[in-house]
């Protein structure tokens, strides 16, 4: 209970953060959505109880990008990270960090 999508809508926070997407009954981001932070960072994908969780894409202001799996707000699972200079890492991530050897 409390972890089902109950509504869809947009909200702008006091700090300028914007969220458009699904919410659960506790008022947390839950389901599919788009989050835009004041610095220009953008995340589109799945949320669970307010945190990035599941498949998503995050694009940073400098042009760096991560596409893949998230868990509890971190890069976690299989993903691809592109640095702003074009360097690419594809492989496993654990708790926001590269795990093991990638391609």
């Amino acid at each position: 209970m409390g972890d089902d999508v109950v509504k869809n809508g947009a909200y702008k926070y006091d700090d300028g953060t914007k969220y458009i997407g699904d919410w659960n009954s506790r008022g947390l981001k839950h389901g599919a959505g788009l989050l835009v932070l004041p610095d220009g960072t953008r995340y589109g994908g799945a949320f669970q109880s307010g945190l990035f969780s599941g498949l998503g894409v995050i694009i940073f202001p400098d042009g760096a990008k991560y596409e893949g799996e998230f868990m509890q707000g971190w890069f976690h699972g299989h993903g691809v990270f592109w640095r702003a200079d074009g360097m690419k890492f594809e492989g496993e991530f654990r708790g926001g960090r590269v795990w093991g050897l990638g391609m």
Side-chain angles (χ1 to χ4, degrees):
M1 182 102 185
D3 279 339
D4 295 327
V5 172
V6 293
K7 65 179 184 173
N8 181 284
Y11 187 78
K12 186 171 182 180
Y13 296 86
D14 291 340
D15 68 358
T17 300
K18 289 185 283 225
Y19 175 73
I20 305 161
D22 298 332
W23 303 84
N24 69 12
S25 61
R26 294 192 315 241
L28 297 171
K29 298 177 276 294
H30 193 86
L34 172 67
L35 185 71
V36 182
L37 300 177
D39 69 1
T41 302
R42 301 167 68 86
Y43 171 82
F47 289 83
Q48 193 170 341
S49 298
L51 299 171
F52 308 159
S53 200
L55 291 176
V57 178
I58 189 165
I59 302 169
F60 298 96
D62 67 359
K65 176 175 145 178
Y66 171 83
E67 191 169 334
E69 296 175 291
F70 290 81
M71 190 171 89
Q72 295 182 332
W74 298 97
F75 306 165
H76 194 91
H78 187 80
V80 184
F81 185 84
W82 291 269
R83 276 193 340 207
D85 65 10
M87 191 220 74
K88 176 182 168 186
F89 174 86
E90 183 171 354
E92 289 297 307
F93 291 81
R94 291 282 179 270
R97 301 196 170 185
V98 169
W99 185 263
L101 299 172
M103 301 195 301

